[in-house]
Amino acid sequence: TDSMKKPTFAVLCALFLFGGYFVKAGVNEHGDWVADDVDDDVPGAVYDHGDVAGAYDDVAGSTYGYDDAAGNTYGYDDEYVAGNTGSGSRGYDSDWEHADQGDGRAVYGKRRVYYEKDYSRRTYTERVSDSFGNVWFGFILIVLCVPLLWFNEGNYLYQQKTIAEARKKVRKVSYQRVERKNDEALVFFHGRMTAESPVADEDIKVPEDTVAIRRVTEMYQWVESKKTIKRKERTPGGYNRVEERVKYEYSKSWRSTIVNSSRFQNKSNKNPPSFTVPMSSTKISDTVRVGAFTLDETFKKRVLGMANQKIATKYYHYNGKPYEGTFGAPKIGDIKVQVWVRRPVTVSVLGKQTSDDMVTTWVSTSGRSMFDISTGARSQEEFFASQDSSNQMMVLFLRFLGFLLMWGGLWVSWQPLVTLVDVIPLLGPLVGFATQVGTFLAAVVLTLLVATMAWLWYRPLVAMTIISICLICIYNKELLALVS
């Protein structure tokens, strides 16, 4: 639910940041990135590019090893960048259209050399020291999981109260007329959704009764990906010599935004600087009705998400002219436009009726909001069953996440003991297994304990009733036998 997104996101971010702190990057010596000015033209070398004219082996001495000695030979001129063309099409340049738009060849960039500790060759003392150093990381995991479990239980209980309150207060009404006695009340109805003023697309014809349009415009472009290649060599003294080198690879892909090719390391790969047809957008009628009721902006955003009826896919040259006939293999600069619509359809609506015949978000006495719209004539019980199901799934997921954090924290905290006895035959593996089982059981108990304390805080009467029943069943054998 929305109320849990911020605390859950904060806990995960903190876990990521603290976890990253404990990733052992090694001891860096002379680890600065430098320009790759080494000629790798050695047969069978790892980074061999060859000594061919125009190869990317830093002939011109550029920062990233790209030989730009050939100059500007690909038709990518200032007129195209500025969009100052004589064709009348936005951003179009005939030189670019007929030029080679790139070879897609990978380019190697900067490199660095550093030394890192080889943890596979650590001494017994070093392993024990490291395990003690990680204890407080386990403590951080435990501290993070407690508020996550606490707020998860509170959110679940408040959401259940909101659903129960909505079940009691909801009124089933007719979509064909608005009754003033239902103003400010939670209402439920289903009927045909229509647009008072239908919408249209700039390029592609859509049905005249269209309620909402979702247009996706994509261009076929070069995309650069960056990865680091590592080569390790063992050295005396427990360290590894690590050589890192950056490699830039290129692929072609449909993208809805312009990929700035001026920042590519392979300068031969060039993308157009702008679209020549209207970009991706969404449209919805100013007034969307379900019978006598008007949907407010919150509902209209949901309706946009319901625009899933695909009308057409149309392809254009990068100069904005549509392809004729069957579209074949795409080229750099080609544009694809896809249009989805939402036409009139029967919908089921749950929301608050206002005095101006509008349906908007309903707010419970606990401050939780509720509204919904979906296609089809559903019953109100189906609505609430769906709300119950999503609430259950969220609470179970976060309980499991909290349990994993608790187990991980306990397991890390007990690693010094495992490391101390690891050198003793038979005893080391036995203690390691016992630690895993013991921390698992302890995590289960502590997770349930935190959840129970949260219930005592948020719903003390219900929690005490459940605890009392459990205690009676445990200590009263006759009652336990009767229940079983």
Side-chain angles (χ1 to χ4, degrees), residues 68-354:
D68 195 24
N72 187 11
T73 60
Y74 297 99
Y76 193 75
D77 56 17
D78 295 337
E79 289 184 359
Y80 178 74
V81 175
N84 182 18
T85 68
S87 66
S89 298
R90 176 164 55 95
Y92 170 74
D93 180 12
S94 59
D95 290 340
W96 189 90
E97 183 180 20
H98 298 97
D100 180 8
Q101 279 103 43
D103 51 19
R105 189 178 306 174
V107 176
Y108 289 88
K110 294 182 179 181
R111 67 188 180 96
R112 67 172 178 174
V113 176
Y114 61 92
Y115 294 84
E116 69 175 10
K117 185 70 176 180
D118 187 346
Y119 287 93
S120 65
R121 294 188 285 170
R122 288 179 299 170
T123 64
Y124 174 73
T125 304
E126 290 174 331
R127 288 189 286 113
V128 172
S129 176
D130 290 340
S131 65
F132 275 102
N134 290 338
V135 168
W136 72 293
F137 176 54
F139 176 74
I140 290 175
L141 290 179
I142 297 173
V143 170
L144 288 176
C145 81
V146 171
L148 175 64
L149 292 169
W150 188 278
F151 288 114
N152 177 45
E153 298 301 326
N155 177 75
Y156 171 73
L157 292 171
Y158 279 124
Q159 195 65 20
Q160 288 296 104
K161 288 176 63 177
T162 299
I163 296 172
E165 182 183 348
R167 273 196 170 103
K168 291 180 180 180
K169 293 184 175 182
V170 66
R171 301 177 186 179
K172 188 172 183 179
V173 300
S174 171
Y175 78 99
Q176 295 176 333
R177 64 181 182 276
V178 179
E179 299 180 7
R180 295 276 71 89
K181 65 180 182 179
N182 296 322
D183 286 351
E184 304 304 315
L186 178 64
V187 296
F188 172 82
F189 58 88
H190 50 77
R192 189 169 179 79
M193 178 179 66
T194 58
E196 190 173 274
S197 53
V199 292
D201 185 73
E202 295 90 336
D203 299 321
I204 298 177
K205 185 178 180 180
V206 299
E208 295 180 355
D209 57 357
T210 298
V211 177
I213 295 177
R214 184 164 56 91
R215 173 194 177 97
V216 178
T217 304
E218 297 176 308
M219 178 183 286
Y220 201 61
Q221 303 177 71
W222 285 111
V223 179
E224 181 183 73
S225 60
K226 174 182 175 182
K227 69 177 182 180
T228 302
I229 300 175
K230 288 186 178 182
R231 184 168 57 186
K232 292 185 179 182
E233 296 179 0
R234 283 196 170 193
T235 61
Y239 287 87
N240 292 332
R241 181 184 183 275
V242 182
E243 180 181 356
E244 287 187 357
R245 196 170 188 183
V246 178
K247 184 179 182 180
Y248 299 90
E249 296 181 327
Y250 299 88
S251 60
K252 301 175 183 179
S253 176
W254 292 102
R255 293 298 177 98
S256 59
T257 57
I258 291 295
V259 178
N260 187 358
S261 59
S262 65
R263 298 180 180 178
F264 288 174
Q265 307 308 312
N266 184 345
K267 301 301 182 182
S268 71
N269 299 330
K270 297 179 175 67
N271 294 324
S274 64
F275 282 86
T276 53
V277 300
M279 302 260 309
S280 300
S281 62
T282 56
K283 291 182 181 180
I284 190 168
S285 174
D286 293 334
T287 305
V288 180
R289 294 186 179 278
V290 181
F293 293 89
T294 302
L295 302 183
D296 77 340
E297 293 299 323
T298 305
F299 279 92
K300 288 167 66 174
K301 290 180 181 178
R302 286 281 184 94
V303 173
L304 278 172
M306 295 161 60
N308 54 8
Q309 297 173 289
K310 191 173 182 179
I311 294 298
T313 299
K314 195 170 183 179
Y315 294 93
Y316 298 83
H317 297 278
Y318 94 97
N319 60 8
K321 296 179 180 179
Y323 269 91
E324 301 293 340
T326 304
F327 180 73
K331 303 189 296 292
I332 295 298
D334 285 348
I335 298 173
K336 176 174 63 175
V337 177
Q338 300 177 86
V339 174
W340 286 265
V341 302
R342 176 75 272 166
R343 300 186 65 188
V345 65
T346 298
V347 294
S348 299
V349 180
L350 177 73
K352 184 181 72 172
Q353 174 183 312
T354 63

Side-chain angles (χ1 to χ4, degrees), residues 30-94:
H30 311 294
D32 295 333
W33 290 99
V34 296
D36 181 19
D37 55 359
V38 178
D39 185 2
D40 295 311
D41 188 27
V42 180
V46 178
Y47 304 121
D48 183 23
H49 303 293
D51 193 16
V52 183
Y56 304 104
D57 55 4
D58 199 25
V59 175
S62 62
T63 304
Y64 295 99
Y66 173 69
D67 179 13
D68 195 24
N72 187 11
T73 60
Y74 297 99
Y76 193 75
D77 56 17
D78 295 337
E79 289 184 359
Y80 178 74
V81 175
N84 182 18
T85 68
S87 66
S89 298
R90 176 164 55 95
Y92 170 74
D93 180 12
S94 59

Side-chain angles (χ1 to χ4, degrees), residues 363-477:
V363 181
S364 68
T365 54
S366 61
R368 298 297 178 97
S369 61
M370 179 180 290
F371 76 97
D372 206 348
I373 181 172
S374 63
T375 56
R378 302 172 63 190
S379 67
Q380 62 187 48
E381 189 52 42
E382 286 180 302
F383 264 87
F384 293 123
S386 176
Q387 293 282 342
D388 276 329
S389 177
S390 61
N391 198 30
Q392 289 283 352
M393 292 296 293
M394 176 61 74
V395 72
L396 291 176
F397 169 73
L398 292 179
R399 281 174 182 170
F400 182 68
L401 178 61
F403 162 74
L404 291 180
L405 291 175
M406 182 73 76
W407 188 17
L410 292 173
W411 184 79
V412 172
S413 300
W414 281 88
Q415 281 307 292
L417 175 62
V418 177
T419 307
L420 284 171
V421 301
D422 187 48
V423 294
I424 304 176
L426 298 180
L427 183 60
L430 181 62
V431 172
F433 176 74
T435 301
Q436 291 181 356
V437 175
T439 53
F440 175 85
L441 297 176
V444 172
V445 173
L446 291 176
T447 300
L448 294 175
L449 179 62
V450 174
T452 302
M453 296 299 293
W455 273 68
L456 286 171
W457 175 265
Y458 291 109
R459 298 289 293 276
L461 183 60
V462 176
M464 290 301 298
T465 302
I466 296 175
I467 293 174
S468 300
I469 294 174
C470 292
L471 291 176
I472 292 174
C473 291
I474 292 173
Y475 291 102
N476 192 321
K477 296 181 179 179

